[in-house]
Structure formats: C-alpha cells, structure tokens
Amino acid sequence: MKWQVIHDYIEEHKEDLIGLLQECIRARPVNPLYAGDHGYNEAACEEILMSRLEKLGVELYAFDVDLEELEPYRGKPGFITGYTDEIDFRDRPNLVAKLPGTAPEEGRSILLIGHCDVVAADDIEQWKYHPFEAEIEDGVLYGRGCVDELGGLISQLIAMEAIVKTNQRPKGDIWFSSVVCEESGGTGVLAVAHWFKKRGIQIDAGIMGEPTDLDISLLCRNIQWGDMTVYGRTGHLEEWQPHWSQGGPVDAIEKARYLMDQIDRLNQEWEKRPDKNHPLEKLPCQVKVAMISGGHHRSSYPAVCEISYNIQVLPQETDEFGLGPGVMKEFEDFIHRVSQADPWLRENPPEIKWVCEADCSEVPADHPFVEVFERNAKAVRGESRLMGSGFHTDTGWLMRVPGIPVINYGPGNPALAHSTNERCRVEDVVTCCKTVARVIMDWCG
C-alpha cells in the first residue's frame, strides 16, 4: 500500500521531524513587532525551511509583503492599517512551494499552510526550560511556538517530504506555504492569498496548521478589539466634596465598574442567544474585558478609566468579508442605553474606539474534504472530532480571495499557545504528520 510506505517513512524519520521543529524554535522566529531590541526575526526560520524545500526539487517562490500591491485591501483584516510606520516587511519572505501532481487534471489539489512567526517570551525566568532551546522531557517538547504553530507547519512540510522521498506522488498538486506576520495582523497570509488570485491558481482544499489538539476545526471566530474611555472629574480623594452637579469630582473607575457590571448582564443574555452560539464551539461569544487602566494619583479621584475588551463573533453574524458591523453597533447601542440610566454618563458618555477586527471563516460540515479528513484522521489516531476554534486563524482570506476551503488542524492544546512553558507532546507532532500525509494521498488521488 502506498500509504503504508509513507507511514513507515515518517515513523523511521520522526527524529528528523522533531529535530527540524527544534531547529526552527531555536532560530527564535519572534515577530518583529514583539522582538524589541532582541534582534529576533522570523526570516531565520524561513531560511531553514527554504533550504529544506530546495532539496525536495519543488517549484519554490519567495517574496516579501508588498503593501502597495495590497492597497485594495486597505481597511480590511490583514492589511495592518496603523502599523505600517512601525513594521518593515523587507527581508521577511513568504514562502510558496508547489509539488506538481502526476495527473493534475484527474486529481484534486491541496494547500498546506501555516505561519512561522511566534510571539515573544519575555518571562524566561518563569519557564521550566529556556523558551528557545526546545528541550524535551518525558516525551514533551517545551518551546515558544511548538504549539502556535511551528508544530503544525513542520508536520506539513515533512508529510510532503515523505511523499517525495517514497516516490508516492499523487495525481493532484500539493502546495505548501510558510507565511510571516500572522501574530501582528495577518498581512503575510493576505499577501499569499493575493499571490494565488493574481496568478489564477485554483486549489481545491487546504489545511492550516493551527493547534487543535489533533481535532478537526471547521471554523474560527471573528475577533473585535476595542477601547472604551470612561470620563470622570478629578478632585482630592480625602476631602469632603460637593455633588458633581455642583462641581464636585466623579470617580471614573466607579463609572467603569458600573459599565462592566452591565457588560456582565449582556454576557448572560448572549449565553442563551442562538446567534452567539455554535454547535462546534465550546463557549458562546462574549465581551471579555482584557485590560483596565485609570487614575493618576493615590489621593485623587480618577478623571479617566480605559477599558480594553475583546468581542468574539461567529460566521453566522458576519458580512461577506467576514466582518461583524452589526455586533459593533449592538455593543455601541448597549453602552449608550445603559449610560442613559446614569445621570453623569448620560451627560458625559463613554467613548468607544475600535482598534482591530479579525475576520472569520467556516467550512460546511458536509464538504467532501471534511469527510476525507475525518476518515483519515480516525484511521491514524483512532478518534477525531469536529470542532470550532474559539480564536481567530488566517483561514478567512484564503477562503475569500482565492476561494480555498481551509480546515484548521495541528498538534498541541490551543490553550497553551502564547503561554509560559508552551509545550506539545512529541508523539502528537508525529501523529499530525502521518494524518496530513494520509489526507493528501486520499484527497489528491
């Protein structure tokens, strides 16, 4: 059996698979936005992968993100409006590789894609092992990015390599892409999506290497980031003060607490609403307060309090671009309504500023690729379930621009992404590689 030959190759070369993953972690491919003055850059990881791809004899393309070429997408997710003065895309190549099929007109094509950049690890002293040494203990690999998402990306590359090395190339084309800049806007994958569209390349299905704990994620949620500024009036905190209507102070933090109490009630309502829930998601969409800042002195009433929040949005709530303007308006109307019940806030309403919005995507459960994926995942692992990712992934632009239905699948518990002691079971990386290889052979013919 062709599959058994590939399976045996991956099993025999699993140390090489894990070794390549360790090498990429040790390259410290921290996204430059978070790298500070450490000099980290994901380009070092791309060089490692480029060298590996060149040895496979694939068609290989490397190109930097060109913001001028992406100008038509300005204002949409992926075009990092507001960061262009801070982020330099020079010498940070996206990689795209093509392994031509033996009979492309008869087989179906597939895209294997993931991001090579990782977030920083500034809490080194709290890690069990250094975050960029990629140490292994009791079958568990510790390292920044092993979960998000170098584990999935390297599994995909070695799956393709196993097919080449065993001379078991399928009929359909196999595409592979490693993208930059996922952790600071998603501009890398937008550039790749545009690259495919500009060349008229049509790909039948794709796998994004995001962590799913080896389950099959058919959707990701839209994420909206916002800041709400609540105004008060300063004054000496330790002295008697007149009512605010007589010129006295107003505690902005107290007013912010009132608004957060109202947000708690909104979340209770959302828990029960069908449009805020999805059968593949563990949790309903909520307004999560992530950061609070306010005040200027311990003896003064705070004049300002800022609340930074995160709102999750399901595909069923979004427009054709995967955006949720209706959810934004609902939140704005809610804050306006509850502010009317407070005399001070009625006259001094909070300001809402939308900072960023990431789009969403969903592959229908009855899509033929889902059936192929489920069958092969269960054949390798014995079990696998359909699920949804609560966080955002880069699948949206791939589905909307070149029109590729993309499933999220990768090793590692997504709750451990970005965390101290980010870690992943070595065997799960190997299982992922075997599953991806088997899906490729089945889907591509």
Side-chain angles (χ1 to χ4, degrees), residues 83-158:
Y83 290 98
T84 52
D85 292 335
E86 302 175 32
I87 295 182
D88 187 349
F89 286 106
R90 291 173 297 180
D91 301 319
R92 298 170 59 193
N94 279 324
L95 302 182
V96 177
K98 177 186 179 183
L99 179 66
T102 58
E105 67 284 353
E106 298 178 22
R108 294 177 292 198
S109 56
I110 195 168
L111 170 65
L112 314 175
I113 188 167
H115 64 86
C116 69
D117 61 322
V118 304
V119 297
D122 297 328
D123 54 347
I124 292 177
E125 67 284 350
Q126 298 178 32
W127 283 65
K128 185 173 186 178
Y129 299 104
H130 192 287
F132 295 108
E133 290 301 322
E135 298 285 352
I136 297 174
E137 179 185 285
D138 296 330
V140 177
L141 172 63
Y142 291 78
R144 173 61 81 226
C146 65
V147 172
D148 188 14
E149 65 180 73
L150 292 173
L153 179 66
I154 304 308
S155 297
Q156 294 176 349
L157 175 55
I158 298 302

Side-chain angles (χ1 to χ4, degrees), residues 29-31 34 117-121 132 144-145 148 183 417-419 422:
V30 176
N31 186 293
Y34 309 109
D117 61 322
V118 304
V119 297
F132 295 108
R144 173 61 81 226
D148 188 14
E183 297 290 3
H418 299 197
S419 69
E422 183 175 347

Side-chain angles (χ1 to χ4, degrees), residues 44-65:
C45 183
E46 293 290 66
E47 290 174 4
I48 293 169
L49 300 182
M50 193 182 308
S51 174
R52 193 87 177 200
L53 288 164
E54 287 171 346
K55 294 175 183 177
L56 290 182
V58 297
E59 298 176 18
L60 182 58
Y61 309 88
F63 54 93
D64 291 343
V65 172

